[in-house]
Amino acid sequence: MIKFPPSLLAAAAVYTAQCSLYGFKQWSKTCEYHTNYSEIQLFFHQKAGTGKLTGVYRKYSTSKFGYAAKFKPAIFLLTMILDEREIYC
């Protein structure tokens, strides 16, 4: 059922938190070394909140969780995803 290893999910969560806190991409060679994931590998989650599996998005869109899912996304991450998509397509 789970498509991604727990280590990848954890690394993506750390990356997202760092980007949210600092307001810019924050994935150093040290992070890459300790997780064994490059920055590009962490972009598996680009369609969160769309499709059929939106339970987590709905859960974190409630007052109990401070409407966390409704915060504006880090735009620089989204543009990076689009730029990478153009390179690899």
Side-chain angles (χ1 to χ4, degrees):
M1 186 104 190
I2 296 177
K3 294 181 181 180
F4 306 104
S7 60
L8 178 59
L9 297 175
V14 168
Y15 178 72
T16 302
Q18 287 178 336
C19 291
S20 297
L21 287 173
Y22 301 116
F24 58 90
K25 294 188 308 178
Q26 186 73 18
W27 195 250
S28 65
K29 292 289 184 187
T30 304
C31 293
E32 190 172 326
Y33 173 78
H34 287 291
T35 63
N36 293 320
Y37 292 111
S38 68
E39 189 174 20
I40 299 302
Q41 291 174 298
L42 302 178
F43 290 113
F44 65 90
H45 63 288
Q46 56 190 326
K47 292 186 179 180
T50 62
K52 295 179 181 179
L53 304 175
T54 60
V56 173
Y57 180 81
R58 285 193 317 265
K59 176 181 177 179
Y60 287 95
S61 293
T62 63
S63 62
K64 180 179 179 180
F65 295 99
Y67 304 102
K70 296 192 178 208
F71 286 117
K72 288 176 29 178
I75 300 300
F76 64 89
L77 287 177
L78 297 176
T79 56
M80 183 179 168
I81 291 169
L82 294 174
D83 291 344
E84 292 298 325
R85 192 179 293 169
E86 289 175 8
I87 291 171
Y88 292 112
C89 289

